[in-house]
Amino acid sequence: MADVNQKIDGPASGAFAITPDDSTNLVRSTRALYIGVTGNLTVDMVNGQTSVLFANVPVGMFPIRVVRVRSTGTTATSITGVF
């Protein structure tokens, strides 16, 4: 799990496509998510909170640090992790 106290400075250095999954963590924690198609988003946060629901997330950058994007409850699509 990522260090929740890690300071994040500067622009993103990379990105990866995300397929929501209820049991598998992402290849790395994110500094933000890009949402391509609006909808609900259910995630596990870097600090250990699980199944956090964000309703009606708009298209664009969503600045949250997550370790998992869950398929249950997620209706947003075309999700990209930014780190």
Side-chain angles (χ1 to χ4, degrees):
M1 186 173 295
D3 177 4
V4 297
N5 298 313
Q6 176 185 1
K7 185 175 180 179
I8 298 177
D9 287 327
S13 61
F16 58 96
I18 293 176
T19 300
D21 188 298
D22 285 340
S23 59
T24 304
N25 282 349
L26 301 172
V27 296
R28 64 178 301 149
S29 62
T30 66
R31 67 186 309 158
L33 297 176
Y34 176 79
I35 307 300
V37 178
T38 191
N40 294 341
L41 186 67
T42 303
V43 299
D44 291 358
M45 304 295 292
V46 168
N47 75 351
Q49 289 177 284
T50 59
S51 296
V52 178
L53 172 65
F54 293 94
N56 301 313
V57 178
V59 169
M61 294 302 285
F62 192 49
I64 58 173
R65 295 182 63 204
V66 304
V67 295
R68 181 179 299 167
V69 175
R70 293 183 173 267
S71 56
T72 301
T74 295
T75 59
T77 59
S78 299
I79 304 168
T80 301
V82 178
F83 60 91

